[in-house]
Amino acid sequence: MDDDRSTSGRRKLTFPLSGAIEAPLDLERHLPFRLAVVVNLLQAQRDPRVRAVTDLGLRELRVLLNVGAYMPVRAADIGYQARLDPGTISRGIATLAERGYVEVSNDPADQRSALVCLTDSGEELYGKVAAVLQERATDIEQVLDGKEREMLFDILARLEDKAEEVLASHALECRESGQSLSADQREMLRWYRRTTNGLKAEEV
């Protein structure tokens, strides 16, 4: 139950559900909405401590953090890990390469793919950004004890898997009914096949 002193509790008092329509969606009890609110709050480029380190946009920051965590890494693997579409990843890599933060090389195991790594300046920036984000995460996680934190990570993993399954099933329904799939929907199906079959990017 929401405490009236919490942000959600205050919102419920300030914004009562509308009586103008029948059964309005209660956003305070709608899980995707609540998750989206937290994500919006925590967008890195909104944090003044991150802004003090770099002027990179959210797209480039996400790519930078994934490359730093998993390099050498394929662009498709960044997309799968961060659930970002190929166009977003390509533009993010291009911007980071122009700024001298990443370098792209041919994948010796698959000539159709390229590997992305941080440059020396990219590693320096990554270290600064990661330190700020880790400090912020530690501050936020103070509301949880160790058991609650592990439980939350488990819940988030299950929610991610289920969300992917639900959206993939919706894409399949569209395809089976003869509708054309958008690029995002086709990517969702590739992600779902990769998750359920344990495939590598080049096998999907």
Side-chain angles (χ1 to χ4, degrees), residues 141 143-155:
E141 291 170 14
V143 299
L144 305 172
D145 61 31
K147 183 176 181 180
E148 288 173 330
R149 181 177 181 274
E150 293 308 311
M151 185 181 299
L152 176 60
F153 279 124
D154 176 67
I155 291 170

Side-chain angles (χ1 to χ4, degrees), residues 99-137:
R99 301 277 296 265
Y101 294 133
V102 301
E103 56 186 9
V104 182
S105 60
N106 292 329
D107 182 355
D110 184 356
Q111 293 301 313
R112 298 172 300 174
S113 301
L115 295 175
V116 187
C117 290
L118 296 179
T119 61
D120 289 343
S121 60
E123 288 188 22
E124 181 181 358
L125 177 60
Y126 171 80
K128 293 177 180 179
V129 173
V132 171
L133 295 182
Q134 185 56 56
E135 182 179 357
R136 185 179 72 171

